[in-house]
Amino acid sequence: MTSTTLTPGAHTPGSSSALQRARPAHLEPPAVRTTQLSKAYAGRTVVDSLDLLIPAGVVSGFVGPNGAGKTTTIRMLLGLVRPTSGDGEVLGEPLSSPTRYLPSVGAMIEGPAFQPALSGRDNLALLARVGGLPVSRVPGVLERVGLAQRGGDPFRSYSLGMKQRLGIAAALLPQPRLLVLDEPTNGLDPAGIAQVRELISSFRDEGMTVFVSSHLLAEVEQVADHLVMIRQGELVFQGPVRDLVDAQRPQLFAAAPTPQDAALVGELAAGMGWRAEVLDLTVRIELPGMLDDAEHAARATELNRRAHALGVTLSRLEVVRPTLEQAFFELTGTASGDVR
C-alpha cells in the first residue's frame, strides 16, 4: 500500500491558532469550496463535477463506498493530482496554487509512512526537517496524540493504533487550520477507533477544520457534524449530518402479545393515517418526518391508549429514528455490504 503523510512547508509558529482565536469559525470563509471538480483516467471518470462546500471549524465526514472517488478527491485538494476540469479554493486560496494553502494544511493519506528502525520521535523530527518545520514542535504533537511516553520507542514496536496516532501527529506538525485524514480508523480495534475519534473531536473543539474520509458510517455519525456523501464519483448529499438523518422518516415499533392483537394494532395505526406493516407480533409504523420528537411521542401514546381500550397491552412502543447508515442506504440504494 502506498502511504503518504504530508508535512507542508513552515509558517509562522502559532499563527493558525491565533487566527482561530481572533476570528470565530462562522465568520471565516469555507475551508473548502469546489466547482464542478472532476478527474478522469483513460476516459473513465473517477470524480464527477463535485461542488463541495465545507464550512470552517467543523468535522466533515467524507463517506462513500470503496472506489467512490474519495481518495482521488482528497489528492486533488492537496495538489497531489491535477483535476481534469473544475476549480475551487482551499482556505481561501485557489486550488490551482496549492503552495499558497498547503502550509496551513496537515494530511494523512492511506496510512502513515515511517522508518521502522527509528523511534516515533526521530521519525517526526525527520519529517519536520524535510518539510522545513521546527523540530521543536515534535514533543508537543507527541503529547497531543498521547504518545509522549512512547516517543523514544522504535516505530516497529508500535501497535496499529499507535502508528495511526503517530501519523496524525505528523499531520499536526504544520499547526494546520485544515486537517485531512483519509480512513484514519481503518483496521483499528474498538479501543483504537475510540482514541482516534476522541482526538478528532478535540481538534474541532480547538477551532480546526477536520475533513475525515471513511467508509465506516457508524464512526462518522459519532464524530462528524457535517457530511459529504459521494457514490461513483458523484455528490449525493452535502450538509449537516442531522439534516440527512432528520430527512428520513422515523418509525414506531409496537409489540403485541399475539398475532391477532398485532393485526388489530396495525388496523388502528392505519385508521390514524399511518402506513403500518405487521411482522408477526410487531407492527412497524412509518411516522410523518416533519414532526418533532414530542409530537411523535404524543402520537405513540394515543396509539397505546386506543390499543388498551380494545384490551391489547403493548409490550414495546418505541420511536426509532434512522441511523446515518440507514439514511445512506435509502438515499443511494447502496447495498449494506458496500459501506459498513
Side-chain angles (χ1 to χ4, degrees):
M1 175 188 295
T2 359
S3 299
T4 308
T5 304
L6 293 186
T7 50
H11 61 294
T12 306
S15 60
S16 63
S17 57
L19 175 61
Q20 290 159 5
R21 287 193 301 270
R23 184 166 56 184
H26 71 276
L27 297 179
E28 290 202 35
V32 175
R33 186 204 308 269
T34 68
T35 304
Q36 298 291 289
L37 189 66
S38 301
K39 181 64 182 178
Y41 292 101
R44 183 174 70 91
T45 300
V46 179
V47 176
D48 191 0
S49 305
L50 287 187
D51 293 333
L52 300 180
L53 185 63
I54 302 170
V58 303
V59 173
S60 181
F62 190 27
V63 300
N66 287 327
K70 300 188 299 295
T71 298
T72 300
T73 300
I74 287 174
R75 287 182 173 276
M76 285 192 285
L77 296 178
L78 296 175
L80 299 173
V81 170
R82 186 186 298 276
T84 303
S85 61
D87 55 22
E89 296 178 348
V90 176
L91 300 176
E93 300 292 346
L95 194 63
S96 56
S97 302
T99 54
R100 292 169 59 176
Y101 59 79
L102 284 180
S104 297
V105 177
M108 184 179 76
I109 309 173
E110 296 183 348
F114 295 107
Q115 297 297 320
L118 295 181
S119 68
R121 182 181 300 112
D122 288 344
N123 266 293
L124 292 182
L126 177 61
L127 287 174
R129 292 189 187 98
V130 169
L133 300 166
V135 176
S136 59
R137 292 180 186 168
V138 170
V141 296
L142 281 172
E143 179 73 33
R144 187 68 189 80
V145 300
L147 290 177
Q149 302 304 314
R150 296 292 304 273
D153 296 344
F155 177 75
R156 61 171 170 248
S157 71
Y158 283 11
S159 67
L160 181 57
M162 292 169 62
K163 290 175 179 177
Q164 289 294 87
R165 283 187 283 147
L166 190 67
I168 294 173
L172 293 175
L173 283 171
Q175 297 182 331
R177 292 164 52 200
L178 171 64
L179 180 64
V180 180
L181 303 175
D182 189 15
E183 301 281 2
T185 60
N186 199 23
L188 299 186
D189 60 19
I193 290 173
Q195 289 173 334
V196 171
R197 188 169 62 229
E198 289 171 8
L199 273 175
I200 291 172
S201 295
S202 69
F203 298 149
R204 172 187 50 207
D205 294 342
E206 294 167 5
M208 195 183 302
T209 305
V210 185
F211 191 43
V212 54
S213 162
S214 181
H215 63 278
L216 297 173
L217 293 180
E219 291 307 316
V220 170
E221 186 171 19
Q222 293 187 58
V223 74
D225 40 22
H226 181 271
L227 187 69
V228 175
M229 181 185 294
I230 66 172
R231 187 165 188 250
Q232 296 180 346
E234 296 182 350
L235 184 69
V236 293
F237 176 84
Q238 178 172 235
V241 173
R242 192 72 255 166
D243 284 0
L244 175 61
V245 175
D246 286 348
Q248 311 306 310
R249 291 182 178 273
Q251 294 179 334
L252 173 64
F253 289 87
T258 68
Q260 294 77 16
D261 289 335
L264 180 58
V265 173
E267 293 174 5
L268 286 174
M272 297 173 69
W274 298 336
R275 182 184 302 173
E277 181 182 7
V278 179
L279 307 168
D280 193 18
L281 301 179
T282 300
V283 183
R284 183 172 61 197
I285 301 163
E286 191 174 283
L287 296 173
M290 71 288 299
L291 302 181
D292 62 24
D293 289 344
E295 291 172 304
H296 288 145
R299 292 199 174 195
T301 300
E302 175 61 18
L303 177 65
N304 188 43
R305 187 191 66 77
R306 295 189 186 189
H308 188 266
L310 295 177
V312 178
T313 301
L314 300 177
S315 58
R316 178 193 180 197
L317 193 62
E318 181 183 9
V319 176
V320 177
R321 283 195 173 273
T323 63
L324 175 58
E325 187 173 26
Q326 291 166 332
F328 180 91
F329 297 151
E330 183 173 331
L331 187 60
T332 65
T334 304
S336 61
D338 292 340
V339 182
R340 298 193 297 275

